[in-house]
């Protein structure tokens, strides 16, 4: 794939938040409301948690499973799988992204999780699960706002989508079981088999991935790419957010007692996440600068590496450890922290563009694309 400039002018910093849809701009607020609704349901309706647990297969409640699949499908229907055909001309970008996403990112999350939560094995494990779930969703929004390379972003998202199917279970076993044993760390009994993780990934990533791919192939073939991108995707996009909020409300209905007993745990989970997102973005952006990728590709590399697929992380935590686990709570806190941090990093990226890439050619104008106000998680 040949290098392309971002097809729009860089927005002024003060306009970044305004280009997000109402749903995306206030996502932390909606998550907080969903948490409060869940806690209220658990406290006000006797036996609500027991009713949820009764509708259960293995460790996963059927209503929660529905929410998980609902929030994954629109995300995977957005992936441009056809971009995989352009692999040959992008070796440097692809190799850099794979190294950052699948070596540096998981290692960094493993480190901050053990540093900040050494005495909390469930939360620590949940954060490591978040670190292994590389972003395939909202990164499309962050790179759009930061005037990054759209085509390169689509390529990396497609690669990460497929790579997670193959690599996630192996890396989950390595970081949760093998590496702590190798380093002599006391995992306090929180070990996991590759099959447990693989089964959950195949269900909650494999099924919506197949559905998303089929939807895209059939939709583009029958109605054309413009209809699919500009009409169909904006219609189904909000379903991902609704599924996420529905799942969070149910999780907090189940988690109410645990949260009431330790209300500061959310803050303890949030701190290492804040450190992780900031460091990961800085390392990735500097890597792009050192590799001479130019601003658009550097921003693409940084945001795809710094973002995480919290939908998959929540699904894995629930599928392996259950909805009432600390791992599931840690997964839910992920998007609560990620969204405002990544919005702030958009401002940082645009500032660094003016400071470090002053001689770069200005991006040219292009035909209007679907409004960001129509895009969601």
């Amino acid at each position: 794939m040949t290098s392309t400039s971002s097809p729009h002018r860089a927005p002024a910093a003060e306009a970044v938040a305004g280009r997000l849809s109402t749903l995306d701009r206030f996502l932390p607020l909606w998550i907080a409301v969903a948490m409060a609704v869940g806690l209220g349901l658990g406290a006000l309706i006797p036996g609500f948690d027991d009713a949820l647990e009764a509708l259960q297969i293995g460790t996963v409640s059927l209503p929660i499973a529905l929410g998980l699949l609902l929030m994954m499908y629109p995300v995977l229907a957005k992936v441009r799988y056809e971009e995989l055909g352009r692999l040959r001309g992008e070796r440097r970008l692809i190799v850099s992204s794979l190294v950052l996403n699948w070596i540096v990112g998981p290692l960094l999350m493993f480190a901050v999780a053990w540093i900040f939560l050494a005495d909390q094995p469930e939360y620590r494990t949940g954060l490591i699960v978040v670190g292994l779930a590389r972003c395939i969703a909202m990164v499309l929004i962050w790179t759009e706002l930061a005037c990054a390379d759209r085509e390169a972003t689509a390529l990396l998202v497609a690669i990460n989508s497929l790579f997670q199917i193959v690599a996630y279970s192996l890396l989950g076993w390595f970081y949760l079981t093998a590496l702590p044993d190798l380093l002599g760390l006391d995992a306090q009994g929180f070990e996991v088999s590759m099959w447990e993780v693989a089964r959950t990934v195949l269900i909650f990533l494999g099924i919506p991935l197949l559905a998303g791919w089929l939807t895209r192939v059939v939709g583009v073939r029958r109605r054309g790419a413009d209809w699919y991108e500009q009409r169909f995707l904006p219609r189904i996009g909000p379903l991902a957010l609704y599924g996420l909020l529905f799942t969070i409300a149910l999780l907090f209905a189940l988690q109410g007692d645990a949260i009431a007993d330790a209300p500061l745990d959310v803050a303890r989970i949030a701190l290492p996440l804040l450190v992780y997102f900031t460091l990961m973005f800085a390392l990735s952006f500097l890597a792009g600068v050192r590799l001479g990728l130019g601003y658009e590709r550097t921003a693409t590399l940084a945001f795809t590496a710094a973002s995480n697929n919290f939908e998959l992380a929540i699904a894995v935590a629930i599928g392996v450890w259950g909805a009432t686990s600390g791992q599931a709570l840690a997964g839910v806190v992920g998007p609560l922290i990620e969204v405002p941090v990544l919005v702030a990093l958009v401002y940082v990226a645009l500032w660094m563009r003016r400071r470090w890439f002053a001689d770069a050619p200005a991006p040219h104008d292009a035909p209007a694309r679907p409004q960001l106000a129509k895009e969601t998680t």
Side-chain angles (χ1 to χ4, degrees):
M1 183 170 66
T2 57
S3 177
T4 58
S5 298
S6 177
H8 46 74
R9 289 190 177 90
E14 61 271 12
V16 169
R19 298 183 65 214
L20 283 167
S21 71
T22 301
L23 290 176
D24 292 326
R25 186 162 64 249
F26 297 107
L27 182 56
L29 174 61
W30 309 142
I31 293 173
V33 170
M35 291 176 174
V37 169
L39 292 173
L41 289 174
L44 298 176
I45 302 178
F48 186 80
D49 53 348
D50 293 333
L52 286 178
E53 291 179 354
L55 299 170
Q56 187 167 300
I57 296 178
T59 59
V60 182
S61 161
L62 288 179
I64 291 177
L66 175 63
L68 293 172
L69 291 172
L70 187 64
M71 70 184 183
M72 289 295 292
Y73 165 68
V75 169
L76 292 164
K78 289 182 179 181
V79 175
R80 298 178 183 178
Y81 302 98
E82 62 273 14
E83 297 290 341
L84 290 171
R86 303 182 181 184
L87 290 175
R88 293 183 180 178
E90 294 295 337
R91 291 182 181 177
R92 186 169 58 166
L93 178 66
I94 292 169
V95 171
S96 302
S97 179
L98 289 175
V99 169
L100 287 165
N101 273 289
W102 298 102
I103 298 178
V104 177
L107 273 175
L108 179 59
M109 185 66 91
F110 178 87
V112 297
W114 273 95
I115 290 171
F116 287 93
L117 295 169
D119 62 329
Q120 295 286 344
E122 291 193 20
Y123 299 154
R124 183 185 67 232
T125 300
L127 287 192
I128 294 173
V129 167
V130 171
L132 294 174
R134 311 315 300 168
C135 190
I136 60 173
M138 288 196 76
V139 69
L140 298 169
I141 295 178
W142 310 136
T143 53
E144 181 85 6
L145 293 174
C147 300
D149 190 313
R150 290 175 181 163
E151 288 74 20
T153 301
L155 174 65
L156 296 183
V157 165
I159 292 171
N160 280 326
S161 300
L162 300 179
F163 200 84
Q164 285 190 97
I165 289 283
V166 178
Y168 195 98
S169 58
L170 175 61
L171 290 174
W173 167 81
F174 176 75
Y175 282 101
L176 296 174
T177 300
L179 188 57
D181 289 345
L182 183 65
L183 298 177
L185 298 172
D186 181 11
Q188 296 175 260
F190 282 91
E191 298 184 350
V192 64
S193 71
M194 280 190 287
W195 167 241
E196 287 179 301
V197 178
R199 178 187 59 195
T200 303
V201 172
L202 286 173
I203 293 172
F204 292 109
L205 182 57
I207 292 174
L209 178 64
L210 177 61
W213 176 75
L214 287 174
T215 301
R216 187 173 192 92
V217 170
V218 174
V220 171
R221 184 175 298 172
R222 291 190 175 183
R223 303 294 296 272
D226 288 342
W227 174 86
Y228 187 83
E229 295 282 348
Q230 300 181 30
R231 300 282 298 278
F232 180 73
L233 287 183
R235 290 178 182 174
I236 67 168
L239 293 177
L241 178 58
Y242 302 150
L244 174 64
L245 297 179
F246 174 76
T247 302
I248 289 174
L250 294 184
L251 286 177
F252 271 72
L254 294 171
Q255 295 267 13
D257 292 339
I259 294 171
D261 293 339
L264 294 180
D265 282 5
V266 171
R268 287 203 62 186
I269 296 169
L271 181 58
L273 283 169
L274 179 61
V275 172
Y276 167 81
F277 290 130
T278 304
L279 287 179
M280 196 65 200
F281 178 84
L283 290 171
S284 303
F285 201 94
L286 289 173
V289 172
R290 292 293 299 272
L291 290 170
L293 297 179
Y295 172 77
E296 287 81 3
R297 296 296 180 83
T298 295
T300 292
L301 185 67
F303 281 103
T304 52
S307 305
N308 287 81
N309 182 1
F310 48 77
E311 297 95 339
L312 178 60
I314 294 170
V316 170
I318 294 172
V320 177
W321 293 283
T324 59
S325 65
Q327 290 90 339
L329 178 60
V332 168
V333 176
L336 183 67
I337 305 304
E338 178 175 352
V339 173
V341 170
L342 268 293
V343 168
L345 290 175
V346 169
Y347 288 90
V348 172
L350 293 172
W351 177 82
M352 287 193 289
R353 180 187 181 189
R354 294 192 298 271
R355 187 174 181 87
W356 290 0
F357 300 89
D359 297 332
H364 56 80
D365 291 327
R369 283 170 49 89
Q371 292 297 315
L372 276 177
K374 298 293 185 181
E375 299 183 21
T376 62
T377 311

